[in-house]
Amino acid sequence: MTRAERIRKFVEYFSEHQPVAETELVYQDPYELIVAVILSAQCTDKRVNMITPAFFEKFCSFSELAGATEPEVFELVKSCSYPNSKTRYLVQLARKVMEEYHGVLPDDVDELQKLPGVGRKTAHVIASVAFNQPKLAVDTHVFRVSERIGLTFRAKNPLQTELQLVKHIPEKKIPLAHHWLILHGRYVCVARRPKCEICGLTAFCRHYQKVIKSMKH
Ligand code: SF4
């Protein structure tokens, strides 16, 4: 089976079984989303969702966050991983949005990547989740699961994964595909021992087919 065929089957399967797939981060607007996404690096969405209610109560906009001191922000984010650098990024990002973008988060991925703490992955999450653009963010789950299923072939880094996937996924399904892969990697095709026994992709999953073949020999 070719990669293009596998990707078509993957999109068909999830379009039918999971037509709605969304981020597990709780947010109301692009401001809250980018704060939550920055906090979520190397941290669980669950932990971030415990932190953000108090954070947004104290700093409810770029304008308020831009006027904050780093110790004030640190106090609210100290229970997540890398609180020092995340604090610095958040304050610097808010100041830059106020100074250079009139307090409005840009929707262009190149502009987003000019913001402190925002790399390609974060920019693509914001563009697809907040602005519904066909941008695919590749995190550790997307990278691993795509290769296991056989949606990518020997992708060496997230950029190669992204380019191989977007070539064959219909544009309007790209934002959904990001969530499908993340949620599948988080709950079914987990890193150490994928739960193939409850997975609906066995008929075309490259990893599963290899395991089956090796058992027959
Ligand atoms: S069959 Fe197994 S390896 Fe393949 S996607 Fe499902 S859980 Fe992952």
Side-chain angles (χ1 to χ4, degrees):
M1 188 181 290
T2 64
R3 264 196 330 107
E5 284 167 342
R6 272 204 191 91
I7 291 178
R8 187 173 52 75
K9 284 183 177 292
F10 167 83
V11 170
E12 275 173 12
Y13 176 86
F14 279 106
S15 297
E16 188 186 336
H17 293 89
Q18 204 172 349
V20 178
E22 294 168 343
T23 176
E24 293 184 315
L25 292 169
V26 178
Y27 73 100
Q28 304 292 332
D29 54 30
Y31 162 73
E32 292 193 2
L33 180 65
I34 199 163
V35 169
V37 171
I38 285 178
L39 290 176
S40 72
Q42 309 286 321
C43 189
T44 63
D45 288 0
K46 202 172 157 194
R47 162 67 51 194
V48 173
N49 290 337
M50 287 163 71
I51 292 171
T52 46
F55 188 99
F56 297 142
E57 200 175 312
K58 182 143 190 188
F59 306 115
C60 67
S61 63
F62 287 116
S63 150
E64 295 211 4
L65 185 55
T69 64
E70 290 193 4
E72 282 176 315
V73 173
F74 180 86
E75 194 53 33
L76 289 165
V77 306
K78 64 185 179 190
S79 65
C80 74
S81 53
Y82 305 106
N84 286 302
S85 49
K86 287 176 184 176
T87 293
R88 204 168 50 247
Y89 286 145
L90 287 171
V91 173
Q92 288 175 357
L93 180 146
R95 289 179 185 162
K96 189 157 180 161
V97 170
M98 291 310 295
E99 285 161 17
E100 298 182 23
Y101 299 95
H102 310 289
V104 179
L105 191 66
D107 61 4
D108 179 84
V109 290
D110 293 327
E111 292 301 313
L112 282 164
Q113 285 179 83
K114 292 177 186 169
L115 298 171
V118 179
R120 187 177 180 90
K121 183 182 81 180
T122 299
H124 280 215
V125 171
I126 303 301
S128 71
V129 175
F131 303 117
N132 202 29
Q133 293 174 22
K135 300 291 181 190
L136 189 83
V138 177
D139 74 348
T140 175
H141 293 303
V142 176
F143 183 76
R144 180 187 74 252
V145 170
S146 300
E147 194 67 21
R148 250 192 203 154
I149 303 172
L151 308 181
T152 56
F153 183 64
R154 293 183 184 165
K156 290 187 181 62
N157 52 48
L159 181 60
Q160 288 186 4
T161 298
E162 178 193 323
L163 297 177
Q164 289 190 25
L165 289 174
V166 297
K167 197 170 169 198
H168 298 292
I169 298 176
E171 217 175 80
K172 68 176 192 311
K173 300 281 186 184
I174 287 176
L176 272 170
H178 163 75
H179 296 303
W180 288 334
L181 287 163
I182 287 182
L183 296 171
H184 196 62
R186 207 172 267 172
Y187 298 113
V188 181
C189 195
V190 292
R192 287 216 188 127
R193 193 192 164 279
K195 301 174 184 171
C196 304
E197 63 281 5
I198 58 158
C199 180
L201 311 186
T202 50
F204 58 90
C205 170
R206 186 171 62 200
H207 176 81
Y208 186 81
Q209 298 298 327
K210 261 195 211 160
V211 171
I212 294 289
K213 269 187 203 151
S214 69
M215 283 164 66
K216 283 181 183 163
H217 290 297

